[in-house]
Amino acid sequence: MSIICQEITTPEELQACFSLRHEVFVGEQSVPTALEMDGQDAVACHFALKDDGKIIATCRVRRIGSAAKIERMAVQKDYRRKGIGQELMKYVLQQLINAGDIQLLKLSSQSDAVPFYERMNFKKRGPEYME
């Protein structure tokens, strides 16, 4: 296994990230495509973790003023519960910290993923809601 984290820069890699998100959110979780592809991808930075060149995890980050919002975290089914999501989050958080001008890091999460983000030192705020 050859794991590499990186910011996505090519249209082909971006399409692979979208395909993985579609597989996870639309295919597995029955999220409507129109909700998953919300029109915000063009203004976001996209990150991925690859295994031997294949994208196995992805997320996007949108800048909102002095905040960065981490969104659309998806890990390919065969790679879950192996630390892949944590590895990608560590990389993304380091990139955001290195940017130097971020005042707040935030995200929205599915309810069952809250413990994962709490282990990454995020704190739950606000009431649960349906997107």
Side-chain angles (χ1 to χ4, degrees):
M1 198 148 97
S2 172
I3 301 293
I4 298 172
C5 286
Q6 68 182 64
E7 184 171 353
I8 297 303
T9 57
T10 70
E12 296 80 18
E13 290 177 322
L14 187 57
Q15 189 57 49
C17 291
F18 293 160
S19 293
L20 176 56
R21 284 173 31 190
H22 187 274
E23 176 185 320
V24 171
F25 297 122
V26 178
E28 293 178 28
Q29 300 176 2
S30 300
V31 172
T33 301
L35 187 59
E36 201 291 301
M37 297 301 289
D38 62 358
Q40 298 296 314
D41 288 306
V43 297
C45 291
H46 298 267
F47 295 89
L49 189 145
K50 295 179 177 180
D51 180 15
D52 291 326
K54 179 184 175 192
I55 291 176
I56 59 170
T58 187
C59 71
R60 73 178 187 196
V61 176
R62 285 189 303 130
R63 295 290 301 264
I64 304 167
S66 62
K69 186 174 183 189
I70 302 166
E71 304 172 312
R72 301 301 196 266
M73 175 76 142
V75 177
Q76 187 180 33
K77 193 172 192 174
D78 294 343
Y79 288 88
R80 292 182 198 148
R81 305 206 185 285
K82 296 180 180 182
I84 298 298
Q86 183 177 8
E87 197 67 33
L88 180 58
M89 280 295 294
K90 284 181 184 178
Y91 177 80
V92 169
L93 292 171
Q94 190 61 54
Q95 297 306 305
L96 295 171
I97 290 166
N98 288 347
D101 62 340
I102 305 288
Q103 301 293 316
L104 176 68
L105 296 172
K106 61 184 192 172
L107 56 84
S108 293
S109 169
Q110 294 172 334
S111 298
D112 61 343
V114 168
F116 168 80
Y117 292 110
E118 288 176 334
R119 286 191 301 275
M120 302 294 300
N121 293 319
F122 281 88
K123 305 286 184 236
K124 185 178 176 184
R125 295 179 65 186
E128 190 169 315
Y129 65 93
M130 296 293 288
E131 184 172 341

